[in-house]
Amino acid sequence: MINKKVANAQEALADVKDNQTIMLGGFGLCGIPENSIAELVRKNTTGLTCISNNAGVDDFGLGLLLQKRQIKKMISSYVGENAEFERQMLSGELDVELTPQGTLAEKCRAAQAGIPAFFTPAGFGTEVAEGKETREFNGKMYVMEEAYKADFAIVKAWKGDEAGNLIFKGTARNFNACMAGAGKITIAEVEELVPVGSLDPNQIHIPGIYVKRIFQGENYEKRIEQRTVRQK
């Protein structure tokens, strides 16, 4: 069995170049590839097109890349927690493609499955459908959406083995699961990296065939995007 383990984020992302398209898993700040984002910041990789459900917050997640103007285009669904994102979008510094959340997820899953396009009712009759093929099925109108084409998909899992098999924990399964295998090269960072055979096959969410490189991350902050507590 192929050993896909690499030493760290620096080795895993060594061939990521300027002006490439990268998918990044996570939802809000839950299950984001923190180590990989930090490495992109360190590398000062620029001109990136990032596909992610959201854009992090001002000082964490993809917000770190936005601070350094490393992202050229953002393809996402929800961006309401990032003031710097808003500023760059409104000033025209950042190209933004807002996509319905379910459509974004399916465009990732279609790429993962090798499906070039699909039809969805979401967005018909709105700006989302402009310039796209539409078709009627059973009396209802649908919009054709093409699968994403990404150079890299970077995901974060709870556990993984050296063959690339991944297990996600709780809500961190989110976009990580449909992005794994949806790029030409998938890089996985995990909280715990174990030898092949250590994981229960019945618990594996993503088989290693989808993953090209895997490494054990460190110093995860796991921030909460909005902490809400009950008043006493």
Side-chain angles (χ1 to χ4, degrees):
M1 189 169 291
I2 300 174
N3 188 330
K4 300 175 182 179
K5 176 183 175 182
V6 295
N8 48 38
Q10 187 172 351
E11 183 178 349
L13 278 69
D15 55 348
V16 176
K17 299 180 176 63
D18 293 348
N19 304 311
Q20 290 188 314
T21 299
I22 302 177
M23 291 180 172
L24 297 112
F27 188 96
L29 301 181
C30 177
I32 64 173
E34 296 176 32
N35 286 241
S36 297
I37 292 171
E39 175 60 17
L40 289 172
V41 173
R42 188 198 69 79
K43 280 167 61 76
N44 197 32
T45 311
T46 59
L48 296 174
T49 295
C50 290
I51 301 169
S52 177
N53 178 64
N54 60 284
V57 293
D58 288 317
D59 62 343
F60 196 63
L62 291 183
L64 298 173
L65 294 172
L66 287 166
Q67 280 184 350
K68 293 184 64 179
R69 312 295 192 274
Q70 292 175 253
I71 299 176
K72 174 182 66 177
K73 180 177 181 179
M74 192 75 216
I75 300 172
S76 53
S77 177
Y78 176 72
V79 294
E81 303 298 331
N82 194 316
E84 177 59 19
F85 178 99
E86 180 182 8
R87 189 199 66 76
Q88 290 186 29
M89 180 179 72
L90 294 177
S91 67
E93 298 173 42
L94 180 68
D95 187 7
V96 178
E97 183 180 312
L98 293 176
T99 305
Q101 194 167 84
T103 301
L104 192 149
E106 186 64 11
K107 283 163 76 76
C108 294
R109 194 200 67 81
Q112 181 189 65
I115 297 170
F118 60 92
F119 283 92
T120 174
F124 177 77
T126 72
E127 292 182 7
V128 170
E130 289 182 4
K132 298 175 182 176
E133 179 182 341
T134 59
R135 192 178 298 184
E136 181 179 342
F137 293 94
N138 300 318
K140 188 172 183 177
M141 294 302 298
Y142 292 77
V143 180
M144 190 181 82
E145 295 282 357
E146 295 186 6
Y148 285 131
K149 300 177 181 67
D151 298 293
F152 290 88
I154 303 176
V155 301
K156 190 258 182 179
W158 174 45
K159 284 186 181 181
D161 65 22
E162 294 171 354
N165 298 300
L166 304 177
I167 297 176
F168 304 104
K169 187 175 185 179
T171 321
R173 192 169 178 179
N174 51 57
F175 280 84
N176 285 301
C178 61
M179 286 185 175
K184 293 178 182 176
I185 294 175
T186 293
I187 297 168
E189 61 175 78
V190 297
E191 293 182 39
E192 184 178 351
L193 185 57
V194 299
V196 175
S198 302
L199 302 178
D200 179 353
N202 295 301
Q203 301 301 315
I204 291 171
H205 295 128
I206 292 294
I209 190 68
Y210 286 119
V211 177
K212 184 75 171 180
R213 300 168 199 153
I214 188 169
F215 69 94
Q216 181 164 319
E218 56 186 11
N219 301 322
Y220 287 108
E221 294 187 45
K222 297 185 180 179
R223 293 196 197 180
I224 296 175
E225 191 169 3
Q226 288 191 14
R227 186 185 298 274
T228 304
V229 296
R230 185 178 63 185
Q231 294 182 350
K232 292 183 179 180

Coordinates of all heavy atoms in Angstrom, one line a residue, residues 72-125:
K72 N -6.9 36.4 -5.0 CA -7.4 37.2 -6.1 C -8.9 37.1 -6.3 O -9.6 38.0 -6.6 CB -6.7 36.7 -7.4 CG -7.1 37.4 -8.7 CD -6.4 36.8 -9.9 CE -6.7 35.4 -10.1 NZ -6.1 34.8 -11.3
K73 N -9.4 35.8 -6.2 CA -10.8 35.6 -6.4 C -11.3 34.6 -5.3 O -10.6 33.6 -4.9 CB -11.1 34.9 -7.7 CG -12.5 34.7 -8.0 CD -12.8 34.1 -9.4 CE -14.2 33.8 -9.7 NZ -14.4 33.3 -11.1
M74 N -12.5 34.9 -4.7 CA -13.1 34.1 -3.7 C -14.4 33.5 -4.2 O -15.3 34.3 -4.6 CB -13.3 35.0 -2.5 CG -13.7 34.2 -1.2 SD -12.3 33.4 -0.5 CE -13.0 31.9 0.1
I75 N -14.5 32.2 -4.2 CA -15.7 31.5 -4.6 C -16.3 30.9 -3.3 O -15.7 30.0 -2.7 CB -15.5 30.4 -5.6 CG1 -14.9 31.0 -6.9 CG2 -16.8 29.7 -6.0 CD1 -14.4 30.0 -7.9
S76 N -17.4 31.4 -2.9 CA -17.9 31.0 -1.6 C -19.4 31.2 -1.5 O -20.1 31.7 -2.4 CB -17.2 31.8 -0.4 OG -17.2 33.2 -0.7
S77 N -20.0 30.9 -0.3 CA -21.4 31.0 -0.1 C -21.7 32.0 1.0 O -22.6 32.8 0.8 CB -21.9 29.6 0.4 OG -23.3 29.7 0.7
Y78 N -21.0 32.0 2.1 CA -21.3 32.9 3.2 C -20.0 33.7 3.6 O -19.0 33.0 3.9 CB -21.8 32.1 4.4 CG -22.1 33.0 5.6 CD1 -23.1 33.9 5.6 CD2 -21.2 33.0 6.7 CE1 -23.3 34.8 6.7 CE2 -21.4 33.8 7.8 CZ -22.5 34.7 7.8 OH -22.7 35.5 8.9
V79 N -20.1 35.0 3.6 CA -18.9 35.8 3.9 C -19.2 36.9 4.9 O -18.5 37.9 4.9 CB -18.4 36.4 2.5 CG1 -17.9 35.3 1.6 CG2 -19.5 37.2 1.8
G80 N -20.2 36.7 5.7 CA -20.6 37.8 6.5 C -19.9 38.1 7.8 O -20.2 39.0 8.5
E81 N -18.8 37.3 8.1 CA -18.1 37.5 9.3 C -16.7 38.2 9.1 O -15.9 38.2 10.0 CB -17.9 36.2 10.0 CG -19.2 35.4 10.3 CD -20.1 36.2 11.3 OE1 -19.6 37.0 12.1 OE2 -21.3 36.0 11.2
N82 N -16.4 38.7 7.9 CA -15.1 39.2 7.6 C -15.1 40.6 7.1 O -15.5 40.8 5.9 CB -14.4 38.2 6.6 CG -12.9 38.4 6.5 OD1 -12.5 39.6 6.4 ND2 -12.2 37.3 6.5
A83 N -14.8 41.5 7.9 CA -14.8 42.9 7.5 C -13.8 43.3 6.4 O -14.1 44.1 5.5 CB -14.6 43.8 8.7
E84 N -12.7 42.6 6.4 CA -11.6 42.9 5.4 C -12.1 42.3 4.0 O -11.9 42.9 3.0 CB -10.3 42.3 5.8 CG -9.2 42.4 4.8 CD -8.8 43.8 4.4 OE1 -9.2 44.8 5.2 OE2 -8.2 44.1 3.3
F85 N -12.8 41.2 4.1 CA -13.4 40.6 2.9 C -14.4 41.7 2.3 O -14.3 41.9 1.1 CB -14.1 39.3 3.2 CG -14.8 38.7 2.0 CD1 -14.2 37.7 1.3 CD2 -16.0 39.1 1.6 CE1 -14.8 37.1 0.2 CE2 -16.7 38.6 0.5 CZ -16.0 37.6 -0.2
E86 N -15.2 42.2 3.1 CA -16.2 43.1 2.7 C -15.6 44.4 2.0 O -16.0 44.9 1.0 CB -17.1 43.6 3.8 CG -18.2 44.6 3.5 CD -19.0 45.0 4.7 OE1 -18.6 44.7 5.8 OE2 -20.0 45.7 4.4
R87 N -14.5 44.9 2.7 CA -13.8 46.0 2.2 C -13.2 45.8 0.8 O -13.4 46.6 -0.1 CB -12.7 46.5 3.2 CG -12.1 47.8 2.9 CD -10.8 48.0 3.6 NE -9.8 47.1 3.1 CZ -9.2 47.2 1.9 NH1 -9.5 48.2 1.1 NH2 -8.2 46.4 1.5
Q88 N -12.5 44.7 0.7 CA -11.9 44.4 -0.6 C -12.9 44.1 -1.7 O -12.7 44.5 -2.8 CB -11.0 43.1 -0.4 CG -9.7 43.4 0.4 CD -8.8 42.2 0.4 OE1 -8.7 41.4 -0.6 NE2 -8.1 42.0 1.5
M89 N -14.0 43.5 -1.4 CA -15.1 43.3 -2.4 C -15.7 44.6 -2.8 O -15.8 44.8 -4.0 CB -16.1 42.3 -1.8 CG -17.3 42.0 -2.8 SD -18.5 40.9 -2.1 CE -19.3 42.0 -1.0
L90 N -16.0 45.4 -1.9 CA -16.7 46.7 -2.2 C -15.8 47.7 -3.0 O -16.2 48.5 -3.8 CB -17.3 47.3 -1.0 CG -18.4 46.6 -0.3 CD1 -18.9 47.3 1.0 CD2 -19.6 46.4 -1.2
S91 N -14.5 47.5 -2.7 CA -13.5 48.4 -3.4 C -13.1 47.9 -4.7 O -12.4 48.6 -5.4 CB -12.3 48.6 -2.5 OG -11.6 47.4 -2.3
G92 N -13.5 46.7 -5.0 CA -13.1 46.1 -6.3 C -11.8 45.4 -6.3 O -11.3 45.0 -7.4
E93 N -11.1 45.3 -5.2 CA -9.8 44.6 -5.1 C -9.9 43.1 -5.2 O -9.0 42.5 -5.6 CB -9.1 45.0 -3.7 CG -8.8 46.5 -3.5 CD -8.3 46.7 -2.1 OE1 -7.5 45.9 -1.6 OE2 -8.8 47.7 -1.5
L94 N -11.1 42.6 -4.8 CA -11.3 41.2 -4.8 C -12.4 40.7 -5.7 O -13.5 41.3 -5.6 CB -11.6 40.7 -3.3 CG -11.8 39.3 -3.0 CD1 -10.5 38.5 -3.2 CD2 -12.3 39.1 -1.6
D95 N -12.2 39.8 -6.5 CA -13.2 39.2 -7.4 C -14.0 38.2 -6.5 O -13.4 37.3 -5.9 CB -12.6 38.5 -8.6 CG -13.6 38.1 -9.6 OD1 -14.8 38.4 -9.4 OD2 -13.2 37.4 -10.6
V96 N -15.3 38.3 -6.5 CA -16.1 37.4 -5.7 C -17.2 36.8 -6.5 O -17.9 37.4 -7.3 CB -16.8 38.2 -4.5 CG1 -17.7 37.3 -3.7 CG2 -15.7 38.9 -3.6
E97 N -17.3 35.4 -6.3 CA -18.4 34.7 -6.9 C -19.2 34.0 -5.8 O -18.8 33.0 -5.2 CB -17.8 33.6 -7.9 CG -18.8 32.8 -8.6 CD -18.2 31.8 -9.5 OE1 -17.3 32.1 -10.3 OE2 -18.6 30.6 -9.5
L98 N -20.4 34.6 -5.5 CA -21.2 34.0 -4.5 C -22.1 32.9 -5.1 O -22.7 33.1 -6.1 CB -22.1 35.1 -3.9 CG -21.4 36.2 -3.0 CD1 -22.3 37.3 -2.6 CD2 -20.6 35.6 -1.9
T99 N -22.1 31.8 -4.4 CA -22.8 30.6 -4.9 C -23.7 30.0 -3.8 O -23.3 30.0 -2.6 CB -21.8 29.5 -5.2 OG1 -20.8 30.1 -6.1 CG2 -22.4 28.3 -5.8
P100 N -25.0 29.6 -4.1 CA -25.8 29.0 -3.1 C -25.1 27.8 -2.5 O -24.4 27.1 -3.1 CB -27.0 28.5 -4.0 CG -27.0 29.4 -5.1 CD -25.6 29.7 -5.4
Q101 N -25.3 27.7 -1.2 CA -24.5 26.7 -0.4 C -24.6 25.3 -0.9 O -23.6 24.6 -1.0 CB -24.9 26.8 1.1 CG -23.9 26.1 2.0 CD -24.1 26.5 3.4 OE1 -25.0 25.9 4.1 NE2 -23.4 27.5 3.9
G102 N -25.8 24.9 -1.2 CA -26.0 23.5 -1.7 C -25.4 23.3 -3.1 O -24.9 22.3 -3.4
T103 N -25.5 24.4 -3.9 CA -24.8 24.3 -5.2 C -23.3 24.2 -5.1 O -22.7 23.4 -5.8 CB -25.2 25.5 -6.1 OG1 -26.6 25.6 -6.2 CG2 -24.6 25.5 -7.4
L104 N -22.7 25.0 -4.1 CA -21.3 24.9 -3.9 C -20.9 23.5 -3.5 O -19.9 22.9 -4.0 CB -20.9 25.9 -2.9 CG -19.4 26.2 -2.7 CD1 -19.2 27.7 -2.2 CD2 -18.8 25.3 -1.7
A105 N -21.7 22.9 -2.6 CA -21.3 21.6 -2.1 C -21.4 20.6 -3.3 O -20.6 19.7 -3.4 CB -22.3 21.2 -1.0
E106 N -22.5 20.7 -4.1 CA -22.7 19.7 -5.2 C -21.6 19.9 -6.3 O -21.2 18.9 -6.9 CB -24.1 19.9 -5.8 CG -24.4 18.8 -6.8 CD -24.4 17.4 -6.3 OE1 -24.4 17.2 -5.1 OE2 -24.5 16.5 -7.1
K107 N -21.2 21.2 -6.5 CA -20.1 21.4 -7.5 C -18.8 20.7 -7.0 O -18.0 20.3 -7.9 CB -19.9 22.9 -7.7 CG -21.0 23.5 -8.6 CD -21.0 25.0 -8.5 CE -19.9 25.7 -9.2 NZ -20.1 25.7 -10.7
C108 N -18.6 20.7 -5.7 CA -17.4 20.0 -5.2 C -17.6 18.5 -5.3 O -16.7 17.7 -5.8 CB -17.2 20.3 -3.7 SG -16.8 22.0 -3.4
R109 N -18.8 18.0 -5.0 CA -19.1 16.5 -5.0 C -19.0 16.0 -6.4 O -18.5 14.9 -6.7 CB -20.4 16.2 -4.4 CG -20.6 14.7 -4.1 CD -22.1 14.4 -3.9 NE -22.8 14.6 -5.1 CZ -22.8 13.7 -6.1 NH1 -22.2 12.5 -6.0 NH2 -23.5 13.9 -7.2
A110 N -19.5 16.8 -7.4 CA -19.5 16.4 -8.8 C -18.0 16.3 -9.3 O -17.7 15.3 -10.0 CB -20.2 17.4 -9.6
A111 N -17.2 17.2 -8.9 CA -15.8 17.2 -9.3 C -15.1 15.9 -8.6 O -14.4 15.2 -9.3 CB -15.1 18.4 -8.8
Q112 N -15.5 15.6 -7.4 CA -15.0 14.4 -6.7 C -15.4 13.2 -7.5 O -14.6 12.2 -7.6 CB -15.5 14.4 -5.3 CG -15.1 13.2 -4.4 CD -15.9 13.2 -3.1 OE1 -17.1 13.0 -3.1 NE2 -15.2 13.4 -2.0
A113 N -16.6 13.1 -8.0 CA -17.1 11.9 -8.7 C -16.8 11.9 -10.2 O -17.2 10.9 -10.8 CB -18.6 11.9 -8.5
G114 N -16.2 12.9 -10.7 CA -15.9 13.0 -12.1 C -17.1 13.3 -13.0 O -17.1 13.0 -14.2
I115 N -18.1 14.0 -12.4 CA -19.3 14.4 -13.2 C -19.0 15.9 -13.6 O -18.8 16.7 -12.8 CB -20.5 14.3 -12.3 CG1 -20.8 12.9 -11.9 CG2 -21.7 14.9 -13.0 CD1 -21.8 12.7 -10.8
P116 N -19.1 16.1 -14.9 CA -18.7 17.5 -15.4 C -19.7 18.6 -15.1 O -19.4 19.7 -15.0 CB -18.6 17.3 -16.9 CG -19.4 16.1 -17.2 CD -19.4 15.2 -16.0
A117 N -21.0 18.2 -15.0 CA -22.1 19.2 -14.8 C -23.3 18.5 -14.2 O -23.5 17.3 -14.4 CB -22.3 20.0 -16.0
F118 N -24.2 19.4 -13.7 CA -25.5 18.9 -13.2 C -26.5 20.0 -13.3 O -26.2 21.2 -13.5 CB -25.4 18.4 -11.8 CG -24.9 19.4 -10.8 CD1 -25.8 20.2 -10.1 CD2 -23.6 19.6 -10.6 CE1 -25.4 21.2 -9.2 CE2 -23.1 20.6 -9.7 CZ -24.0 21.4 -9.0
F119 N -27.8 19.7 -13.1 CA -28.9 20.7 -13.1 C -29.5 20.8 -11.7 O -29.7 19.8 -11.0 CB -30.0 20.3 -14.1 CG -29.6 20.5 -15.5 CD1 -29.1 19.5 -16.3 CD2 -29.9 21.8 -16.1 CE1 -28.7 19.8 -17.6 CE2 -29.6 22.0 -17.4 CZ -29.0 21.0 -18.2
T120 N -29.7 22.1 -11.3 CA -30.3 22.4 -10.0 C -31.3 23.5 -10.1 O -31.1 24.4 -11.0 CB -29.2 22.8 -9.0 OG1 -29.8 23.2 -7.8 CG2 -28.3 23.9 -9.5
P121 N -32.4 23.5 -9.3 CA -33.3 24.6 -9.4 C -32.8 25.8 -8.7 O -33.4 26.9 -8.9 CB -34.6 24.0 -8.7 CG -34.0 23.0 -7.8 CD -32.8 22.4 -8.5
A122 N -31.8 25.7 -7.8 CA -31.4 26.8 -7.0 C -30.8 27.9 -7.9 O -29.9 27.6 -8.8 CB -30.3 26.3 -6.0
G123 N -31.3 29.1 -7.7 CA -30.7 30.2 -8.5 C -31.5 30.6 -9.8 O -31.2 31.6 -10.4
F124 N -32.4 29.7 -10.2 CA -33.1 30.0 -11.4 C -33.9 31.3 -11.3 O -34.5 31.6 -10.3 CB -34.0 28.9 -11.9 CG -34.8 29.3 -13.1 CD1 -34.2 29.2 -14.3 CD2 -36.1 29.7 -13.0 CE1 -34.9 29.5 -15.5 CE2 -36.9 30.1 -14.1 CZ -36.2 30.0 -15.4
G125 N -33.8 32.2 -12.3 CA -34.5 33.5 -12.3 C -33.7 34.6 -11.5 O -34.3 35.7 -11.3

